[in-house]
Amino acid sequence: MGCGLRKLEDPEDSSPGKIYSTLKRPQVETKTDTVYDYVLLDFSLEGSRPTVQYVSSLSELPQALQSFYTQGYVLATLHPIILSLGRSRSLPFSLLYRAVLARPRSSNQIASTCHSAPVLRVEEWPLPGDSLTSDTVRALIDRVNSSARGGVQFVGSVLQQVSGVTNGRVHSPKRGCRSPPRTPPGDREQEERAYSPDLSLLVFFHSWPPGCVPLDSLGCQYHQGALSMRVSRKGQVVSALEADWLELTAAYYRKGWTLVDSFVYWDTPKGEPVPRSLEGLFVYEERSTAPPPNDTIVVEQWTVIEGSDVKTDYGPLLHTLAEFGWLLTCVLPTPIIRHDSDGNLATKQVVFLQRPVRTSTSGYLKNQVGELSSRSVSRVVSSSTPTEDLSPAVGGGIGGFPVFGGGYSGSLSHLEDGAFEQEEGKAEVTCM
């Protein structure tokens, strides 16, 4: 049984997740010299809960994460968990964010050199207009490069919508923006004058004391790469998406670059027809040293929120892949959301991991000479799963949603190592 990239005419995304990789499974699970430890922390701008820490603004994250930095961890990526774009009202947990911290296992013993202790900085950059555009993002990348020439390293960014009512103190994120409070009709004009949202980008950097910048972080440059996806909608809301993730990123990974951030233009300008595709930009980091090419894994994964806690996400998969040297560098949240009969929310996220190419992965090394085939699918192994819908989900999984079974190895336990027939020049795609 096999499947390729599904046609967009079928808007129901029925798989619990898909794993795309430049490698076959046995190569993915090859031990390397580097092993990572990960810590996943959730923060809320609305209030604390047992598993969620409250911050009044994401600009407080450097202080909130300081204790982890003293243990050798650094921020790998930061992303909102829920996007409620295109919906008539905001969704619960729209102000919930996930910070992923990573450290090489060898750094359990904190080094005495200053090179092991970067400082996390955050800057707030006001943006023009009420939506993100390609011109705005290109200008942002230019500004990031200007900052990098001063010896800092770009970590990532979060787009937010700042209301004049709050004077920018409590940020309502654009990636999951909240509607202004309702008022009587007579006060509507006054409300519109008071509620004047502006876009703002919180930009995170790593910096070091003078003379302590690691050599591979000196002179970093940041480049844009195309990001395009095909989408299906229910009304204005994106209900499914497809993208050729490996084709979009392969040329940059072959250069040894790192994918560190992403921007998608989710909003449709008023008065314009609803598009069947969406565009955006990836941001890649090029280091001054010459790193080897990278292999990659891209995972489309569901995150399920049960009650007030995140119950199912990419965490188990991430911890499993960490044992094989896979580094998480970026998570792309999407506005795709489902509900189950208990009122739990599930949202789809796209997770990007990379690892330096090993000399034993000859199949991918051959791709360094030629381009990846435009047909990026060889044989795909699939399993049947319940159909997702906005109606209550049925079948297995947590909260009624089919999910990866607790980890990478477990989720692929039904696959034999010989089940793949990867052709030269082709990338592997696994539908789970």
Side-chain angles (χ1 to χ4, degrees):
M1 185 191 311
C3 64
L5 289 176
R6 292 182 299 280
K7 297 181 180 179
L8 262 293
E9 286 73 20
D10 178 12
E12 302 301 341
D13 183 359
S14 60
S15 63
K18 291 191 294 184
I19 300 177
Y20 301 76
S21 181
T22 52
L23 298 174
K24 299 178 182 179
R25 182 190 172 189
Q27 296 168 323
V28 166
E29 296 178 331
T30 301
K31 291 287 187 178
T32 66
D33 294 334
T34 303
V35 176
Y36 289 100
D37 291 324
Y38 287 105
V39 172
L40 283 65
L41 302 173
D42 293 336
F43 294 89
S44 174
L45 304 185
E46 292 184 307
S48 61
R49 294 186 289 276
T51 60
V52 179
Q53 182 175 342
Y54 169 74
V55 289
S56 62
S57 168
L58 292 179
S59 60
E60 298 175 6
L61 277 187
Q63 293 77 26
L65 300 179
Q66 180 59 37
S67 63
F68 293 94
Y69 271 66
T70 60
Q71 301 175 53
Y73 288 97
V74 296
L75 181 64
T77 189
L78 172 70
H79 64 89
I81 292 180
I82 291 287
L83 296 185
S84 53
L85 294 175
R87 302 175 189 273
S88 59
R89 60 183 178 86
S90 62
L91 293 169
F93 314 109
S94 292
L95 299 181
L96 190 63
Y97 290 83
R98 161 69 54 82
V100 181
L101 296 96
R103 73 176 178 189
R105 185 72 54 83
S106 58
S107 67
N108 283 334
Q109 301 296 326
I110 303 301
S112 59
T113 65
C114 58
H115 298 285
S116 65
V119 176
L120 183 63
R121 287 174 35 192
V122 59
E123 298 180 7
E124 185 172 355
W125 295 356
L127 302 179
D130 57 359
S131 64
L132 199 64
T133 67
S134 58
D135 289 340
T136 303
V137 173
R138 291 187 182 98
L140 289 171
I141 296 175
D142 289 341
R143 187 171 176 181
V144 166
N145 276 313
S146 178
S147 297
R149 286 190 287 272
V152 299
Q153 184 179 33
F154 177 59
V155 178
S157 64
V158 175
L159 187 64
Q160 301 200 316
Q161 194 167 18
V162 182
S163 168
V165 175
T166 63
N167 294 323
R169 176 55 182 168
V170 178
H171 301 281
S172 178
K174 182 64 176 176
R175 294 177 177 175
C177 55
R178 306 175 70 189
S179 302
R182 296 180 179 271
T183 58
D187 296 334
R188 185 165 300 163
E189 184 176 347
Q190 179 180 353
E191 175 196 90
E192 291 176 353
R193 288 197 302 268
Y195 187 80
S196 54
D198 296 305
L199 285 185
S200 175
L201 194 72
L202 289 183
V203 186
F204 292 84
F205 293 98
H206 280 144
S207 64
W208 292 263
C212 292
V213 182
L215 291 179
D216 62 351
S217 298
L218 275 172
C220 289
Q221 297 184 41
Y222 297 90
H223 308 272
Q224 65 186 39
L227 196 174
S228 60
M229 61 185 76
R230 302 172 294 280
V231 298
S232 294
R233 298 175 184 267
K234 291 186 176 181
Q236 295 288 326
V237 178
V238 175
S239 59
L241 65 82
E242 287 182 357
D244 300 316
W245 301 116
L246 297 181
E247 287 190 23
L248 288 169
T249 58
Y252 305 97
Y253 283 121
R254 287 199 296 269
K255 296 180 180 180
W257 295 2
T258 298
L259 197 165
V260 293
D261 206 355
S262 60
F263 297 90
V264 178
Y265 316 129
W266 297 109
D267 294 322
T268 301
K270 293 181 179 179
E272 294 189 10
V274 177
R276 299 285 293 178
S277 63
L278 291 173
E279 304 298 324
L281 288 175
F282 284 125
V283 181
Y284 296 90
E285 179 185 83
E286 176 189 9
R287 298 198 172 188
S288 56
T289 55
N294 287 309
D295 279 313
T296 184
I297 294 174
V298 183
V299 184
E300 296 180 4
Q301 169 73 59
W302 286 99
T303 288
V304 179
I305 300 177
E306 184 176 342
S308 60
D309 299 318
V310 174
K311 290 296 184 181
T312 306
D313 57 14
Y314 54 81
L317 176 67
L318 180 61
H319 292 302
T320 300
L321 292 175
E323 297 298 320
F324 304 107
W326 291 96
L327 177 64
L328 174 70
T329 63
C330 184
V331 175
L332 171 63
T334 77
I336 300 175
I337 292 173
R338 302 285 185 267
H339 294 80
D340 71 1
S341 58
D342 296 324
N344 299 324
L345 294 178
T347 182
K348 179 161 285 190
Q349 298 162 344
V350 186
V351 182
F352 297 86
L353 302 101
Q354 67 183 50
R355 187 181 72 182
V357 168
R358 294 172 58 85
T359 55
S360 60
T361 59
S362 56
Y364 184 55
L365 287 177
K366 291 179 181 179
N367 285 337
Q368 308 311 309
V369 180
E371 291 297 318
L372 263 176
S373 167
S374 60
R375 295 174 299 163
S376 63
V377 180
S378 55
R379 170 165 294 193
V380 184
V381 182
S382 65
S383 59
S384 60
T385 55
T387 299
E388 295 168 33
D389 201 345
L390 293 177
S391 58
V394 295
I398 297 180
F401 290 93
V403 296
F404 286 129
Y408 183 81
S409 298
S411 67
L412 297 186
S413 59
H414 67 289
L415 300 180
E416 298 295 334
D417 289 347
F420 300 96
E421 294 181 3
Q422 185 175 12
E423 304 170 25
E424 289 189 8
K426 302 290 186 65
E428 188 66 43
V429 180
T430 303
C431 290
M432 294 306 299

